Each structure stands twice: as C-alpha cells, then as structure tokens.
Amino acid sequence: MTVGVDCERPAERPEERPGDRSEEGLGERPDEGLGSGSGQGLGHGAPGGFELFRDDWGIPHLRAADALALARAQGHATALDRAWQLETERHRMLGTSASCLGAEAVDWDRFVRRARIADTARRCFDRLAPETAAWVAAYVDGVNDGLVEGAARAPEFAAAGIAAGRWEPWTPLGVWLSTHILFAGFPTKLWREEVARRLGEDRMTLFATDGPGTAGSNGWLLTGARTASGAPLLAGDPHRFIEDPGVYQQIRLACPEFDVVGLAVPGIPGIAHFGHTGGVAWAITNAMADYQDLYREQLRRTPDGGVEALGPDGWYRAHVHTETIEVAGADPEPVEVIETDRGPVIIGGDPEAVESVSLRYPPRVTGRLGFDVLPALLRARTVADVDAALDRWVEPVNVVLAADTAGDTLHRVAGHVPVRPYANRLRVVPAEDPAYAWREGETVPLPRTEADRPDGIAVMANERGLAAPLGVEFAPPHRAHRIRELLGAGTGWTPDAQAAVHTDTRLASSRPLLSLLARAPGLGPAAERLRDRLLRWDRHMDADSTDATLYARLRNDVVHRLADHPALKGVTGADDPWRSAAHPALFRPWLAAVPRIGYALESLLTVGLLPYEDRLAVVAAAAEAVAAAAGETPPGPWGALHRLSPWQALPDLTPEGSDAEAIRPGLAGDHDCVLSTSSVPGVTDLFARGPAARYVWDLARREDSRWVVPFGASGVPGSAHHRDQTPLWARGALAPVVTDWNLLHRTGGTRNTEKEPAMTVTESTESPVPAEPVAPALRPAVHEQKVEGFGTVRLVPVDPATDADLLHGWVTEERARFWGMADHTREQVREIYEFVGSLPTHHAYLALRDGVPAALFQTYEPDADPVGECYDVQPGDFGIHLLIAPAEGEGAVKGYTEALLTAFIAHVFSDPAHLRVVVEPDARNQKALARMVRVGFELGPEIEKPEKTARLAFLTRAALGLG
C-alpha cells in the first residue's frame, strides 16, 4: 500500500467548502488560491506545509506558502518519484558508485575522488548567499524526508542490496558538478596531443567536430512578428546522453512569490535550464566554450612520503592524501589524491608515471558554481530579470535565449570563462611555465547579440556563432541553418507546429560523401545502381526509409576504409590511442580513432588529409562493397537499426519482452539532423544521445505550452508514469503543460496507480484514508493518439468503483445486448470489472474522445480465456472487445467506430509481441462483422460459447503493412 503525503509536516485538513476549487480560488496568478481555503498546510501557517498535485502524465505540480516550503516540497516529490536516481547521483558525486555497482564503476569513482568533486561542492556551498544556502538546505530536507518512502517503491535498492543514503546540504552542488564536469570535453585535449605527437603538430585539429559534430542541443525563438498569437514562442530540445530515468524532470513550482513550470534536474532545486514563470521564459544550449585546462605536472616524492610539484617558482609541497574505494564483490582499492597549485591531479600522480596531468576548473578555483542564480530565475518576471540573474552563472557555460510577455528578448552567453592563452584551449600545457597561468580574477567578456532580428528568428544549436570567441570545436552549422530555413518559410507559427521543426530529419552533412559518390569512377553495375538510388534519395533519415539505411551502410564502410588508410596509420589499428595505458580508461571514448573519423567524416572528405583521387577511390571501393552486401541482405528501414540505447545504472533490471522494446524505440534522425539522435558512424547505428526533453514555451498563453521527456515523470519501474511518455517522444508529439489547478488531481505523492488505493495522511487522522476518486480525464493514459478529423483518443484504465454507474448504464442498454450484461445490477458490474482488473491477462479501459468517455475497450490473452478453447491459438494472438458509448452510437460522427478502432489497433500493435488481433463478436451482429471487414479483419469460423454463438475474425500486422 502506498501512503502519500499532502503536507510535508502534517497539518489539519480544513473542510473543503463550495468554491474552494473554483476558478476564483485557483487562478493562474501565483498569489491566488494559496489562502486558508485552498488546501491543507497553507492557510494554517504550518511550517513546511505544501500541496502536491499531478496531471494526467503524473507530472508533479507543487504549491506552498513560501519559497523555502516549496523547495522542501520539490525535494520531497523528487525523492518519491526518483529515489533510485537520486541515490545513483549521490554515489556518483561522492565517488562511491562501485560500492553498489561493482568493479565497472571504479574508474569513475577514482576520477571523482581525484578531481575532488565533493570537496569542491562543500566549498561552493559555503560561499552561497545565506538565503540561497537555506533554500538549498530546505530542498535537501525534503529529499531526506521522502527517501524512505521513495526507496520502498524502487526495486533497484533491493537488487543492489543497499539502503538510501542521507543527503548533505551541499549534495545538490556535488550532483551538479559531477553531472557537468565532462561537459566541456577536456579529454579532447588528450586526443589532440596524441594526434600532434603521432601525425604532426599541423594535424592537431584535423578531427575538429565542426564537420560534423556529435549530438548537440537545439533552441529557437520566434518573435511575435512570426507567431499566430503575436507573442514570442521559445522552443527546442536539449541533446544529452539518454538515461533511464531521464535527466530532466517536468515540474511546476508555485508559491505567493512565483509560479514556474519547467524542466528541473533531479537532485537540483529550482529550474536551471528551461523554465516559464508566466511572465518570462528561458532556455539554454551548450555554448561549446572551453573553460577547463589540463596542465602537465612534474612531481617528485619526498622522503616522508609526501609529494612535491614543480611550479613557476620552483618545487613546492603539494596536497596529498589517500582514500579507499569500496567495491561490491571485490577488494577495496586505494586512491591517492594529489592537488597542485593548478588543480587536482587526475592522470598519473605517481612520480614514476609517464605523465601526470592536473585539471583546473572554475568552481575549484573560485569556490562558486552559480547556484545563487537559481532562486533568482524563479522570481524573474522579465527578460531583464533573467539577464541580471545570469550575470552570476558559472558552470557550465551556456548560450541563453529568453523572451517575456512584453515582447522583449535576450540572446547571450552565460558562465565563467577564464582569461588565459589560446594554447590552453587546445592541449595540455606545462604547469611550471607562468605563461599558461590564469589571470587571477579576470574572465573573458561574454558575447551577446540581438535576439529580435529583422527576420524575427533567433537560433542556438552549438554552432560556431555567438560563442565562437570562447571555444575551439563547435557543432557544424547544419542544424542551425536548417532550423532557420524551416522557421523562415512561414509566419503564423503556433506551439503545436513546433513539432515539425523538432522532428526534421534532413541530413545536410551527407553532401560531401554523396558528391564523391556521384563522381566515383569505374563502378560496377550493382554499385552504379546504388549510386543512382542514393543520388535520388531525399537525404532525410526517416525511420521507414531504406535509403537512409543504405546511406548509413555506405558511411560506415567509408569510415573503416579511412581508418585503414596509411595517412592515418599513426592513430588507428594497433596504434589507436584508446589502446594506450597512459590515460585512464574513463577517457578512452575521447581517444578512440574510429568514432573520431566518423564524426569528422564531412571535413575529412572535403579538405586536407587525402588527395581528391584517394577520396574518390575510398568511396568507390565502399560503394562496391555495400552494393554487394545489399544484394545479399537488402536494407531494412532505418528505424529498425537506429534504436535508442539508454544508460541505466542497473541494466540487469531491464525487463524482458515488450517492455524492453519500449525503452529502445527505433527512431528517425541522425547526429547532424535537427532530430539529432546521434549514432556513432563506423561503430554502431544505435544511439545513446538524443533529445533528453522537448519544450515549447508560449508567451501568449502559458497553458498552450508543450513538453515531453523520453520516458515519464516517474523513475519507478512498473509505475503508470514510468514510460508513458515514450510513445509521444518517439513520434515527436508533445504533452500539454497544464496550468489550471482545477484540471489537476491533488495526491499524496503519487497517483493512484497501485492495486491498493493511494492514501493521504493528515494530522486529524491517526490512520490513512483513501484518496478521492480520480475522474477518467485525469487518469494516466496507456495510449494517446490524435485521429485526424475525429479528435484525440486516450485509453485509461477502468476504475470499477468510480466508473460503475457509467459502465452499468452502457452495458444494460438494449443496443448492448450482445455484451451479455443486460440484467446485471450496478454492483454486479462493479464486481465483474474488479475481477477483470485482478487478472494479469485481462485489462479494461475507457476510451476518451477529447476527454469524454466514448467506449469501453477490453483486451485479453486468448490462451488465458475461454475463447482459447474454441480455436487454435497462435503465438502473438491478442484479443479485444469493444462497446461504443450509447450517447454516440453509429451516425453521430461519420466513421466514428472506425476512428476508435484505429486508435485501439495502434495501441495493440505498439507492442511488437502482438502479431494478430482476435475478435469474437456475436454471429448475429452483422453490423459489427461488416465493420471488422472494412477495417481489414479476415473472418474466421463460428464458435460456440456458453453465452452466444460467436464469429471469429483476425487482423494481422502484415495486413496493415507493419511487418
């Protein structure tokens, strides 16, 4: 049984009076609806009291009497929904992951210990403004209060054999640091050093990712001149490694001071990256700035076991101590932590090591991370407020777009970039040379530009643009150019129309390879056919495109042929830097040659490395090989190969069968498309990086904003909201941002999705009481689909107690006589559906059309049903029943039932294990049988059942062209 908590500290629940849930009592203004009549724990002055609501997607909406109580509420709600994720991040920050995950986590733990992440977090917390420190501490109190209940829901704790650990006030800062410490890509400097040493100094930037880059984020702003509403729109999608649970948490935070919706980072209070306060909205992308340096250290051991380092003024004593990494299933491992005047030593360290390298990063130097900005962003009302707040931001360095309801806009860089020589950005520099020191107290001026351009469009996509003076390598311009091209094609843009931009699959970086293919000499007949086919291709990496797969095969082959070319021998094969023991294993992904070649393919095929004739020969040979292979194994659709491969702390818990497929959907896109689902050319067609969220912020009506995440609001396996957004995310759809409190369900920490009712604890009751019933429109949907010309169909689980009157009215109508319940009482109907709900093989759903109940939809596994005794059940058979609501019926809307069947069948076949739909209408129901035939069912034999003579009908995946 799940016990929820509406108040962080129990307070007396006032009797809900008429008008407490009225429009006036729960308005859009953050200072409305927070008085004594609006809910428990708020009007009574109870310290820390708050309310937790959820929308249909289980997204938490929090209200509290003040900002501190709200921070505590955010921590508490996050602990309920993401307890295992919080525990994982706490261990990652402390460098203790191996204690529960085993030896595979030792490399990360060693790096975190040596980089002194936890100690830096403590330093930064100590330098916070007192009011910010109290706010962060309140969030941590909420986390600690909710962890016991949250951990009880999460099976990972039992699987790992651990209990949830306690958070310290500085833990969120450590989580932020550990999440972003590799964000600026300092290990790339190690790669450039290897290239310079092996191929020559002039080749150091040969593999620069400007052509093309790895996955990156998109963001765009449309001024009122280009929107239907006349107010700005802000949209985009951050591209990061996809983790399960997700790295972003949809949330709403409301108190008398502010009311903000946005994407929070679990473990971090407030909303740092993507938020909408009602008055102003903001979003970020990675600026690709370089602000971390690597120094080559000279170290020596002293007779007493200490360590000395060579600096500009000679030898001096460095800090050194030893820590122990506990390893599950193995012996503990000691790690020596050394810190010089430049920073912690993260490579080498032993005076006998080939090379020792220290890391210098701004929070370690300044003791500041930028957390004082977070509460200021929540209170922002205008672009000017956001701009002023971001002046104090530190890490990571971001490009920011913002707009407010007055039409003002912002386009700037925010963060801390130290002043030092350009060489520091490129490579490892000598620690003893004062020329490479940071200029104390100085930072590089941060660029800004006008977002309100003449064309009304501003774009940020990690390209070499606004932030060019701050970095070395950027993403290629293709995504930015394509976004601007799409947006510039029209005006009257709406929030819903942004999905077409989010999901665009044009691959502009294919041009160099296809241009060489067009000129490749001496191709055989099969290779010529391949060439002609790819030159006719529209260059869209669509999920159903076999041409996209053929192009990917060609690209992979070219990558490997380049890796075998003598010009790259120094960094490939046996000489590949990733094979070297000189660098920690953690950095090997940055040191592997084949991925570097794959990402830099556009530039490698355009200039520099190989003569033009050699490039033609490589592409021609690849075309011959791919054409021959295609003759034996024709290419399948791109989406069958290009599947999500998310990171999970405990991958062994990944469920088998259909649920495993659900977290690995096949998608369109590629690393250089706007839909930047980034595979690794030459290595794998799977992708681990992609849109970690999508958002559209509407400055005209915040309630018209949209958002989605790859999985769901909950991190608890088995929860109704664990992966309920995956179908939306996979097809590029967005969920509405609900801002009307009347449309939300007040809950005690989770929606009532367990077998036992969710409970609410109050001070006035010594035992839990059942939560109030959930109306169908407020329940989480197992499937949602917009049917053109019909409306949005949502399938929600039947609640027998709540829905008994509705169902009884339907099944006892004369028109429903085939259903066999015409003489049943209300209680009998309720008992039947309670029994159905208790079966793992049978399920009952209400189908809602635009929120209104329209049909009863039931599913069953034939081999667990009496019908299975009447025919030869085939593997993959899946049975359904359908009862249309009496109020609609035939003729109310042309094609009404067929439209519903479209959604039902899409839901059934969304599970690849379902190969054939089985129906068994009454043999006398000629109207139903004719309808089934129109949809595509093939009629089968009549069968005798105790209650009727039925006619079987079957619909296969193949009949719908689904394969």
Side-chain angles (χ1 to χ4, degrees):
M1 178 173 293
T2 300
V3 178
V5 181
D6 275 358
C7 284
E8 179 277 327
R9 293 183 182 174
E12 182 179 353
R13 177 197 290 270
E15 291 297 321
E16 192 167 48
R17 300 181 294 277
D20 281 354
R21 298 295 298 274
S22 69
E23 193 68 31
E24 292 79 9
L26 293 169
E28 265 293 282
R29 287 168 52 87
D31 55 339
E32 292 178 338
L34 291 174
S36 60
S38 67
Q40 61 196 64
L42 297 179
H44 301 271
F50 67 87
E51 294 176 296
L52 171 59
F53 296 77
R54 294 186 188 271
D55 66 12
D56 286 0
W57 299 96
I59 295 167
H61 293 241
L62 297 159
R63 288 196 309 195
D66 56 55
L68 288 181
L70 188 59
R72 189 164 186 148
Q74 185 183 4
H76 188 272
T78 303
L80 295 183
D81 290 351
R82 305 289 188 100
W84 174 247
Q85 185 176 20
L86 292 181
E87 182 69 5
T88 299
E89 295 300 334
R90 187 183 69 87
H91 279 290
R92 283 176 59 81
M93 175 272 300
L94 291 172
T96 56
S97 297
S99 66
C100 54
L101 301 181
E104 67 179 21
V106 168
D107 290 330
W108 172 261
D109 285 354
R110 183 179 293 111
F111 166 68
V112 168
R113 303 286 189 100
R114 301 184 81 179
R116 310 204 69 184
I117 297 297
D119 186 68
T120 303
R122 294 186 191 96
R123 285 188 186 182
C124 293
F125 181 83
D126 290 343
R127 296 201 63 178
L128 288 176
E131 60 272 20
T132 305
W135 178 73
V136 174
Y139 178 90
V140 169
D141 286 344
V143 168
N144 287 327
D145 287 346
L147 271 178
V148 172
E149 183 179 350
R153 300 176 181 179
E156 294 93 341
F157 286 92
I162 63 173
R166 185 168 183 81
W167 280 46
E168 299 295 334
W170 48 267
T171 300
L173 286 79
V175 169
W176 188 264
L177 269 172
S178 66
T179 299
H180 294 98
I181 188 65
L182 296 173
F183 223 59
F186 69 78
T188 297
K189 298 178 184 183
L190 302 174
W191 165 256
R192 293 195 201 108
E193 285 288 343
E194 294 290 347
V195 172
R197 183 169 64 84
R198 297 161 185 252
L199 300 182
E201 291 283 336
D202 60 330
R203 301 292 193 189
M204 181 181 292
T205 59
L206 175 67
F207 300 88
T209 55
D210 278 42
T214 58
S217 301
N218 302 315
W220 58 91
L221 186 155
L222 291 161
T223 65
R226 301 202 74 93
T227 66
S229 68
L233 281 174
L234 186 59
D237 48 355
H239 296 158
R240 303 173 72 134
F241 281 105
I242 305 296
E243 300 181 14
D244 180 19
V247 297
Y248 283 111
Q249 173 193 29
Q250 299 148 298
I251 201 164
R252 183 183 187 181
L253 305 173
C255 69
E257 291 182 80
F258 51 80
D259 183 344
V260 188
V261 297
L263 300 170
V265 176
I268 310 299
I271 296 169
H273 285 164
F274 311 96
H276 193 327
T277 72
V280 63
W282 68 91
I284 63 95
T285 59
N286 185 353
M288 310 296 282
D290 186 276
Y291 48 87
Q292 301 166 326
D293 285 351
L294 296 179
Y295 288 89
R296 184 174 294 104
E297 300 280 358
Q298 295 187 49
L299 306 176
R300 68 186 183 189
R301 189 75 64 180
T302 62
D304 62 358
V307 173
E308 290 183 337
L310 181 63
D313 298 322
W315 291 95
Y316 64 95
R317 194 172 185 90
H319 169 89
V320 60
H321 72 272
T322 300
E323 299 180 10
T324 300
I325 299 173
E326 300 293 335
V327 184
D331 293 334
E333 294 200 17
V335 55
E336 187 175 46
V337 178
I338 301 172
E339 186 166 12
T340 72
D341 286 351
R342 265 69 54 196
V345 174
I346 60 169
I347 298 174
D350 188 323
E352 303 301 320
V354 174
E355 182 175 67
S356 294
V357 176
S358 62
L359 171 66
R360 188 170 181 84
Y361 58 104
R364 187 68 187 162
V365 176
T366 66
R368 298 194 183 278
L369 194 51
F371 265 43
D372 287 317
V373 172
L374 299 181
L377 285 175
L378 296 177
R379 295 182 173 92
R381 295 291 182 269
T382 67
V383 157
D385 294 338
V386 171
D387 194 15
L390 291 174
D391 285 341
R392 294 174 287 166
W393 188 246
V394 177
E395 186 170 327
V397 179
N398 296 319
V399 176
V400 183
L401 284 173
D404 62 27
T405 53
D408 292 330
T409 58
L410 175 70
H411 191 182
R412 64 164 291 181
V413 176
H416 181 111
V417 180
V419 176
R420 78 277 201 223
Y422 184 77
N424 291 44
R425 300 186 195 177
L426 285 174
R427 62 192 310 170
V428 183
V429 295
E432 70 277 9
D433 190 334
Y436 299 103
W438 290 11
R439 295 186 192 173
E440 187 173 353
E442 293 188 43
T443 59
V444 176
L446 298 177
R448 60 175 61 226
T449 188
E450 292 296 324
D452 193 0
R453 296 160 43 108
D455 61 2
I457 301 169
V459 178
M460 53 181 184
N462 317 111
E463 77 280 16
R464 185 182 295 275
L466 183 63
L470 308 178
V472 177
E473 298 185 19
F474 296 83
H478 305 307
R479 285 185 289 111
H481 289 171
R482 180 61 173 168
I483 292 169
R484 188 174 294 281
E485 176 188 3
L486 292 168
L487 296 174
T491 56
W493 284 97
T494 64
D496 286 338
Q498 304 310 301
V501 183
H502 280 129
T503 57
D504 187 77
T505 60
R506 174 78 173 179
L507 187 67
S509 62
S510 61
R511 184 189 58 79
L513 176 51
L514 294 179
S515 295
L516 289 169
L517 179 63
R519 296 170 175 79
L523 296 180
E528 285 186 344
R529 289 192 295 272
L530 178 144
R531 177 194 62 195
D532 295 343
R533 179 176 175 180
L534 286 180
L535 293 181
R536 290 193 302 269
W537 173 46
D538 62 7
R539 304 190 187 185
H540 283 265
M541 300 295 285
D542 293 331
D544 60 355
S545 172
T546 55
D547 290 344
T549 301
L550 200 60
Y551 171 78
R553 287 184 180 181
L554 179 66
R555 180 177 62 186
N556 289 343
D557 195 281
V558 169
V559 168
H560 285 285
R561 289 179 188 278
L562 287 176
D564 291 338
H565 196 279
L568 289 179
K569 185 179 183 303
V571 292
T572 58
D575 295 322
D576 195 322
W578 79 269
R579 299 178 186 275
S580 171
H583 303 302
L586 183 70
F587 301 144
R588 284 179 181 169
W590 285 267
L591 296 168
V594 170
R596 289 283 179 182
I597 294 169
Y599 287 135
L601 185 62
E602 186 178 7
S603 60
L604 292 175
L605 291 179
T606 305
V607 294
L609 179 67
L610 273 64
Y612 180 67
E613 292 74 15
D614 284 12
R615 284 177 261 152
L616 284 175
V618 164
V619 173
E624 295 286 0
V626 171
E632 298 179 5
T633 308
W638 176 234
L641 300 174
H642 191 58
R643 307 186 74 87
L644 174 63
S645 180
W647 181 86
Q648 296 173 291
L650 287 177
D652 290 341
L653 288 189
T654 302
E656 298 295 331
S658 61
D659 203 29
E661 290 298 307
I663 67 167
R664 294 181 175 85
L667 261 65
D670 200 23
H671 60 266
D672 244 356
C673 301
V674 177
L675 179 53
S676 186
T677 48
S678 183
S679 58
V680 185
V683 177
T684 180
D685 291 324
L686 300 174
F687 69 95
R689 297 184 68 151
R694 295 190 184 99
Y695 61 89
V696 181
W697 300 144
D698 189 348
L699 273 302
R701 286 167 44 89
R702 188 171 67 163
E703 60 268 34
D704 289 339
S705 298
R706 301 286 185 266
W707 54 9
V708 75
V709 293
F711 299 115
S714 173
V716 181
S719 161
H721 302 299
H722 187 208
R723 292 177 185 146
D724 58 335
Q725 294 186 52
T726 301
L728 283 181
W729 176 82
R731 67 176 185 266
L734 298 157
V737 174
V738 179
T739 58
D740 185 348
W741 294 98
N742 294 300
L743 299 179
L744 302 173
H745 174 63
R746 189 188 337 224
T747 178
T750 185
R751 294 187 58 83
N752 185 8
T753 57
E754 308 293 338
K755 290 296 181 184
E756 297 176 306
M759 310 299 285
T760 299
V761 175
T762 71
E763 188 175 276
S764 58
T765 57
E766 294 183 2
S767 60
V769 296
E772 43 190 87
V774 184
L778 297 179
R779 293 177 202 159
V782 299
H783 180 76
E784 178 173 327
Q785 181 174 345
K786 186 173 183 178
V787 180
E788 192 66 33
F790 181 77
T792 299
V793 179
R794 300 178 66 247
L795 299 182
V796 302
V798 163
D799 181 333
T802 303
D803 301 335
D805 288 332
L806 175 71
L807 297 178
H808 181 255
W810 287 2
V811 301
T812 55
E813 288 274 336
E814 168 60 23
R815 63 190 300 280
R817 63 187 181 279
F818 300 121
W819 208 253
M821 297 188 191
D823 59 349
H824 282 47
T825 67
R826 177 191 182 281
E827 287 306 304
Q828 288 174 321
V829 171
R830 178 184 61 78
E831 290 173 359
I832 286 172
Y833 283 99
E834 284 180 345
F835 174 71
V836 170
S838 71
L839 300 174
T841 55
H842 291 60
H843 302 282
Y845 305 98
L846 286 177
L848 310 181
R849 178 194 179 209
D850 293 331
V852 178
L856 174 62
F857 178 60
Q858 294 178 212
T859 66
Y860 62 92
E861 296 178 15
D863 57 1
D865 188 89
V867 74
E869 300 173 2
C870 302
Y871 84 104
D872 184 18
V873 178
Q874 300 296 311
D877 278 2
F878 196 70
I880 67 172
H881 298 300
L882 171 64
L883 177 65
I884 301 296
E888 299 289 352
E890 284 298 309
V893 174
K894 186 177 181 180
Y896 189 92
T897 303
E898 284 84 350
L900 286 173
L901 276 170
T902 297
F904 299 156
I905 291 168
H907 167 60
V908 171
F909 282 142
S910 66
D911 186 340
H914 299 157
L915 304 180
R916 186 170 68 160
V917 175
V918 180
V919 296
E920 24 120 0
D922 193 300
R924 298 167 294 169
N925 194 344
Q926 293 301 313
K927 184 180 289 188
L929 291 170
R931 182 186 302 121
M932 295 300 174
V933 172
R934 288 198 303 272
V935 171
F937 280 81
E938 180 180 342
L939 295 180
E942 291 188 355
I943 59 173
E944 293 297 329
K945 299 185 67 180
E947 73 279 10
K948 65 181 180 182
T949 299
R951 181 75 180 270
L952 290 172
F954 305 95
L955 178 67
T956 65
R957 298 177 72 93
L960 296 178
L962 300 178

